[in-house]
Amino acid sequence: MPFFSGRCYSKARLDGKTAVITGCNTGIGKETVLDFYKRGARVIMACRDLTKAEAAKLDITKKCEKTQNLGEIIITKLDLLSLTSVRECANHILATESKINLLINNAGVMMCPKGTTEDGFETQLGTNHFSHFLLTLLLFPRILASKPARIVNVSSKAHEMGSIDFDDLNFEKRSYSPLSAYGQSKLANVLFTKELCKILKERNIEGINVYSLHPGVIATDLGRHLDSAIFPGARSIYKLANWFIKSPELGAQTTIYCAVDEKCENESGLYYSDCVPIRPSREALKPENAERLWKISEKSVGLENWDPLAEDKDLSIIK
């Protein structure tokens, strides 16, 4: 149990609200689903493994059998290793959901072996950043029509160890480092948050706030690649150091805080840890990097000629 862990104490209800959460059949994502469900939200679980998602849904509903004023849980397919799957997921959500009040970009991989996504991106950058970038922009017209709304990007303190190598984003020239690749992807989450906030302000779009955060060091299976990424036995040491490791329930608190708490409802573009805004890394505060990454991301996912923030949206691009 960690010495200190921030908590969301807000009693805000989410009745009549719709939330989309990625990668939420386990860990802090599952805890976020549980919290929103208790608050009365219609929760869309966007997961790669539908069998595990159904099991998670069943577990959550069983835990809440004696709870009143619950929401609803819907499961939909989303494989962040494939932009095609991202587009199919977005198309399905837009076809079935009249509003999106909360988008929680929670899913992620950490320090995995070298690999590429279906579209040729380095696995961690593709999963943690590019796919969430695409999903967010494709869903944005519906989010815009559902104001007030919040977008929450789950990053990591590991972003402090990251830098964006714009000349070799996918480790095609440099030697692959699982830690460097992870840090780069988590830094991309913070930069994406800041650039989206800037664009919203430039367009005078109010009622949509965006947040990035460090959830803490969590006792989940996200660290399953630590032995190969750092050194044999690293995962065991990670598990033994329980004085700073949070439970999934505690790890979800900052996500929940950014999504529902009244104290941050007028904040946007900030980076949080333990339910308070803190200063991110120096690299995360470079606006030129945020702008450059946005432009590269638009081109990489095929949205360079489409403006989801414009008044007239052609949603046919997602089909």
Side-chain angles (χ1 to χ4, degrees), residues 27-289:
I28 64 175
K30 181 180 175 183
E31 291 292 335
T32 305
V33 174
L34 173 62
D35 182 272
F36 290 2
Y37 178 58
K38 287 181 176 179
R39 294 176 189 266
R42 176 178 171 87
V43 186
I44 313 300
M45 295 179 65
C47 301
R48 181 172 60 177
D49 191 321
L50 298 184
T51 300
K52 290 182 179 179
E54 289 287 356
K57 175 183 176 180
L58 179 61
D59 183 54
I60 290 170
T61 54
K62 282 186 175 181
K63 286 180 179 178
C64 299
E65 284 179 339
K66 297 182 180 180
T67 304
Q68 296 182 337
N69 300 318
L70 296 168
E72 185 179 7
I73 299 176
I74 308 296
I75 294 172
T76 191
K77 174 78 172 180
L78 172 63
D79 183 354
L80 294 172
L81 288 169
S82 165
L83 294 186
T84 297
S85 177
V86 174
R87 290 172 181 273
E88 290 174 348
C89 177
N91 186 57
H92 175 75
I93 291 173
L94 291 171
T96 56
E97 303 300 326
S98 61
K99 56 188 173 182
I100 302 172
N101 307 98
L102 294 169
L103 172 60
I104 314 298
N105 289 320
N106 167 81
V109 292
M110 183 176 80
M111 289 187 260
C112 55
K114 185 177 182 179
T116 59
T117 68
E118 180 180 282
D119 303 278
F121 304 128
E122 184 276 317
T123 300
Q124 297 185 82
L125 187 65
T127 301
N128 298 346
H129 170 63
F130 282 128
S131 285
H132 279 129
F133 178 90
L134 176 61
L135 181 68
T136 301
L137 293 196
L138 292 181
L139 295 181
F140 194 86
R142 189 60 42 82
I143 295 171
L144 184 60
S146 308
K147 299 187 299 183
R150 301 188 194 188
I151 299 168
V152 181
N153 297 316
V154 178
S155 180
S156 167
K157 185 177 177 62
H159 87 274
E160 296 176 358
M161 298 180 285
S163 61
I164 306 293
D165 188 336
F166 289 104
D167 296 320
D168 190 22
L169 285 173
N170 296 304
F171 287 83
E172 296 170 325
K173 303 172 185 176
R174 52 183 163 150
S175 177
Y176 180 74
S177 162
L179 184 58
S180 295
Y182 182 62
Q184 177 179 248
S185 72
K186 295 287 98 178
L187 175 58
N189 294 153
V190 183
L191 292 173
F192 170 42
T193 301
K194 289 194 170 296
E195 186 65 12
L196 178 54
C197 177
K198 187 192 80 171
I199 293 172
L200 291 174
K201 288 181 179 179
E202 290 175 345
R203 300 287 188 88
N204 294 315
I205 296 175
E206 298 180 347
I208 300 178
N209 292 341
V210 56
Y211 312 79
S212 64
L213 64 97
H214 169 55
V217 182
I218 318 296
T220 70
D221 63 354
L222 190 61
R224 61 189 177 275
H225 298 299
L226 286 176
D227 284 356
S228 59
I230 301 178
F231 57 79
R235 190 179 183 190
S236 297
I237 295 174
Y238 171 87
K239 290 181 177 179
L240 287 172
N242 61 2
W243 55 273
F244 72 91
I245 294 180
K246 298 180 180 182
S247 66
E249 187 267 335
L250 287 178
Q253 292 302 303
T254 304
T255 298
I256 296 166
Y257 174 84
C258 291
V260 308
D261 205 288
E262 300 88 346
K263 290 191 291 294
C264 63
E265 65 183 350
N266 295 317
E267 298 172 353
S268 190
L270 302 181
Y271 172 75
Y272 296 76
S273 179
D274 285 314
C275 301
V276 295
I278 65 171
R279 184 180 178 88
S281 71
R282 183 179 302 176
E283 289 296 311
L285 295 173
K286 294 181 178 179
E288 66 275 15
N289 284 353

